[in-house]
């Protein structure tokens, strides 16, 4: 199982002060030293964390594959085509969201063109999608190499069932349900992810997964044999503030090493 460490949040901390501390390049080297198989960054339209200069410096210095997440906005796609990372993962993007909410709308105008532009620059393309068959069929039709399954719904259900989240101010209101109901929903969502991974793999697509994965829920997703890669940001960077980044990456690698 490959691990892509999403290092965007290093730049969230940097933005809190507006100084070059912590340094994104130092973080990239630490993640790679600790065993990160891929570096993942998200060049957002609002540049709230990673900016163009970061992306270009990371591309120039990164010794493992670079996966840049981005929207299908024409200007952003042209920048990514110019930077030419190994892979671009197309994600939905809303200015006001805290993070990538939900999978890509695969009927969105401009998706075909975005894929075509990236492919012309010999960039592998992945679509970040909900685990549903229509979206997978679209990825196949567009000749994408990868899909990345959105595990956010699974992660939220897992947290509400297995942590004290429901007793905290971070409780997810829509998921304040009886435990039996949460269990049933979690099982269903897990089965949906599994079925999507099996279907996508049967079509010849490589299958990644990500969003909301942490040190508790990751083994369940990692144990799905058709999934070959996880992209994880928040939980690793959060842990790194306590343990240091190398330890946080190593601990995640250890969790998934036999998958
Ligand atoms: N994969 C994709 C496509 C994402 O957009 C994100 C969030 O930027 C992640 C993985 C990582 O999610 P998290 O930070 O919740 O681990």
């Amino acid at each position: 199982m490959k691990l892509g460490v999403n290092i965007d949040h290093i730049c969230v901390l940097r933005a809190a002060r507006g100084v070059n501390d912590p340094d994104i390049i130092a973080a990239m080297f630490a993640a790679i030293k600790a065993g990160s198989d891929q570096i993942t960054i998200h060049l957002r339209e609002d540049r709230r964390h990673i900016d163009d200069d970061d992306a270009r410096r990371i591309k120039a210095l990164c010794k493992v594959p670079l996966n840049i997440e981005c929207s299908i906005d024409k200007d952003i796609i042209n920048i990514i085509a110019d930077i030419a990372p190994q892979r671009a993962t197309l994600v939905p993007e809303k200015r006001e969201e805290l993070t990538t909410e939900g999978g890509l709308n695969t009927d969105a105008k401009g998706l075909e063109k975005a894929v075509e532009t990236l492919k012309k620059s010999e960039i592998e393309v992945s679509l970040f999608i909900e685990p549903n068959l229509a979206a997978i069929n679209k990825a196949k039709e567009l000749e994408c190499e990868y899909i990345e399954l959105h595990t956010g719904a699974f992660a939220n259900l897992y947290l509400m069932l297995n942590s004290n989240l429901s007793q905290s101010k971070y409780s997810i209101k829509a998921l304040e349900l009886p435990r039996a109901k949460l269990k049933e929903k979690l099982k269903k969502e897990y089965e949906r992810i599994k079925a999507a991974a099996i279907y996508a793999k049967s079509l010849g697509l490589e299958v990644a997964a990500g969003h909301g994965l942490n040190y508790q829920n990751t083994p369940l997703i990692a144990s799905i044999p058709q999934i070959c890669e996880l992209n994880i940001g928040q939980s690793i960077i959060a842990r790194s503030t306590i343990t240091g980044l190398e330890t946080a990456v190593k601990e995640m690698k250890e969790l998934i090493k036999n998958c």
Side-chain angles (χ1 to χ4, degrees), residues 115-132:
V115 173
E116 190 190 312
T117 305
L118 294 167
K119 282 184 158 288
K120 261 195 205 139
S121 291
E122 302 200 336
I123 300 168
E124 276 181 352
V125 181
S126 178
L127 304 187
F128 187 43
I129 54 176
E130 291 294 324
N132 76 58

Side-chain angles (χ1 to χ4, degrees), residues 181-226:
K181 188 81 191 155
L182 280 175
K183 263 188 196 159
E184 183 193 316
K185 278 178 157 292
L186 180 64
K187 185 165 181 286
K188 239 189 190 159
E189 187 59 19
Y190 184 65
E191 293 304 328
R192 202 163 81 101
I193 293 169
K194 222 160 130 180
I198 291 169
Y199 181 64
K201 190 73 191 161
S202 79
L203 296 183
L205 291 158
E206 296 296 337
V207 185
H211 208 280
L213 296 180
N214 60 27
Y215 294 81
Q216 288 74 45
N217 63 21
T218 292
L220 267 176
I221 297 295
S223 69
I224 299 172
Q226 291 76 15

